[in-house]
Amino acid sequence: MDRSGIFAQAGFAFQLNVFLKQVTELTPGAVARYEYLDDISTSTGLGELSEQVGHSGTQLIQVKNTNVSKQDVVQIYTNWILSITENETISAFVLCYSDLKRLSGYFQTITVDDYVRDLKAKASESGCSNAAKLMGQLDANGINERFCYVKERAFAHPINTDDIKSKIRSNLSSPFHRTSNTKVFEDRVHEFESVMKYNVMSAMSKTEPYEINHEGYMRVCEQICSDISQSRFEPNYAAWRSTVSDDFLQAQEESREYRQLLSCSTKSGFVTDHMYYCEYYRSLNYERLARCQANTVASLEDVTFCNFRDSCFSLEADGDDRPIKRLLATKDKSNQYAFNEHEKWGSCIWLTREETPADKLISWEDEAND
């Protein structure tokens, strides 16, 4: 069985957690970047790593969730040397690796002569490699000088997966008011992880590095505190959707809500988008019930049904009562019990389910058994 995809996902999750830790340690004026110059780069002194390497300024952080071999060490040094060739302000180089993996002792013992020998060997294997690129840019003295600069400032830092998650949570204790309500705190941490992953992936999809400064980090935390509280549960829709598997759509293809949406439009993406609204509402609905807010749920759905009923009356009076018109008119009406539009739209689709009580059942297209 090919497990490369699983390993790739594990590597991404590990790298993202290292990045989140750096973000939660940002100080005023500091910046953290994802996939810029290296896997992660940070500017100005940042917490634990800065203290260990004894440097402030720009740090490059290479993240490995695999065994780090002798060949990997040569590649890592090559990447770092290329980086300082183009960016002379870099002051520290950190290899973060899982403490469950092996780090070759070559990382510490490698000498300039060792490196030059291995660099030439790698360059001879491929003219398109970074090794060949570096040798094309610098003469022997330049390579020697820059290797010594990097070696003097290089540091390997083992990371425990559970420990890094614990540190992220600890760093978020203050901005997310951990002592006020444990359940709310846990929800906020989960939302932070979802939003940050979404932001990173959005940047990656545009082939751009992701960057966030201390002020941006504070804004993210403040927004989450506003959206997730004892009386409010409003996860970011775009971030939420990015975490939901498309598998649920296939399971819903025989459902009444799916069939009802098809009566409105068969255009690509129309049914999918509305099914996501419904699934979003489902998740918020269950969370509200868990928070003993059944009365709010009932009121929201009652308003949704009244909006549907009034839309049908209006469309019938205008002689334009069609499925798509019913849906759009119902979605357009306000609902004070919904936190956002996606929740409001989702409640419209939710009430088209087979399980909906007859006195609240919504039909974009009337069916014989309605």
Side-chain angles (χ1 to χ4, degrees), residues 5-25:
I6 296 175
F7 293 140
Q9 287 296 318
F12 170 72
F14 183 68
Q15 181 174 327
L16 183 64
N17 280 333
V18 174
F19 180 67
L20 293 185
K21 178 177 177 293
Q22 296 305 308
V23 171
T24 60
E25 292 178 350

Side-chain angles (χ1 to χ4, degrees), residues 299-317:
S299 297
L300 188 155
E301 294 180 359
D302 185 63
V303 171
T304 297
F305 180 78
C306 290
N307 286 342
F308 162 71
R309 182 194 58 200
D310 293 348
S311 296
C312 290
F313 289 156
S314 178
L315 291 169
E316 186 177 356

Side-chain angles (χ1 to χ4, degrees), residues 245-258:
S245 170
D246 289 339
D247 293 342
F248 90 92
L249 290 173
Q250 295 182 344
Q252 294 291 326
E253 288 181 357
E254 301 300 322
S255 67
R256 185 178 189 276
E257 53 267 38
Y258 195 94

Side-chain angles (χ1 to χ4, degrees), residues 7-63:
F7 293 140
Q9 287 296 318
F12 170 72
F14 183 68
Q15 181 174 327
L16 183 64
N17 280 333
V18 174
F19 180 67
L20 293 185
K21 178 177 177 293
Q22 296 305 308
V23 171
T24 60
E25 292 178 350
L26 285 170
T27 55
V31 179
R33 298 179 177 90
Y34 190 94
E35 294 294 349
Y36 175 78
L37 300 181
D38 209 333
D39 292 335
I40 298 168
S41 59
T42 62
S43 66
T44 73
L46 289 177
E48 178 184 349
L49 289 183
S50 293
E51 293 174 5
Q52 292 195 38
V53 299
H55 294 282
S56 60
T58 300
Q59 303 175 17
L60 299 190
I61 304 174
Q62 177 77 197
V63 182

Side-chain angles (χ1 to χ4, degrees), residues 60 283-284:
L60 299 190
S283 66
L284 270 63

Side-chain angles (χ1 to χ4, degrees), residues 151-323:
K151 180 70 187 306
E152 181 182 350
R153 294 161 177 80
F155 177 79
H157 178 60
I159 292 180
N160 178 276
T161 301
D162 294 331
D163 184 53
I164 193 171
K165 291 181 179 179
S166 176
K167 288 183 177 180
I168 291 170
R169 290 164 56 80
S170 177
N171 292 339
L172 290 171
S173 294
S174 178
F176 284 165
H177 313 293
R178 184 173 190 169
T179 58
S180 60
N181 185 299
T182 303
K183 176 64 167 62
V184 170
F185 174 76
E186 296 295 339
D187 289 340
R188 286 172 175 172
V189 171
H190 181 267
E191 179 71 355
F192 176 78
E193 293 172 346
S194 296
V195 168
M196 291 302 298
K197 180 179 179 180
Y198 172 74
N199 291 343
V200 167
M201 293 303 294
S202 294
M204 295 300 98
S205 68
K206 301 173 186 175
T207 63
E208 298 174 353
Y210 176 70
E211 175 180 310
I212 186 169
N213 58 20
H214 177 262
E215 292 73 18
Y217 163 57
M218 287 291 99
R219 284 196 297 271
V220 170
C221 290
E222 289 168 4
Q223 185 64 54
I224 290 174
C225 286
S226 174
D227 293 341
I228 309 293
S229 65
Q230 287 180 278
S231 59
R232 190 181 189 89
F233 184 75
E234 186 185 355
N236 180 285
Y237 177 76
W240 170 87
R241 177 165 175 170
S242 70
T243 65
V244 179
S245 170
D246 289 339
D247 293 342
F248 90 92
L249 290 173
Q250 295 182 344
Q252 294 291 326
E253 288 181 357
E254 301 300 322
S255 67
R256 185 178 189 276
E257 53 267 38
Y258 195 94
R259 185 170 69 249
Q260 282 284 310
L261 286 168
L262 284 176
S263 72
C264 298
S265 176
T266 57
K267 288 185 178 179
S268 176
F270 175 86
V271 174
T272 298
D273 286 343
H274 285 77
M275 290 301 293
Y276 270 109
Y277 302 151
C278 184
E279 189 67 13
Y280 179 70
Y281 177 75
R282 181 198 301 271
S283 66
L284 270 63
N285 186 17
Y286 288 166
E287 182 62 30
R288 287 198 181 198
L289 293 175
R291 294 176 180 225
C292 301
Q293 297 173 353
N295 289 338
T296 302
V297 173
S299 297
L300 188 155
E301 294 180 359
D302 185 63
V303 171
T304 297
F305 180 78
C306 290
N307 286 342
F308 162 71
R309 182 194 58 200
D310 293 348
S311 296
C312 290
F313 289 156
S314 178
L315 291 169
E316 186 177 356
D318 293 340
D320 193 18
D321 186 9
R322 292 179 288 148

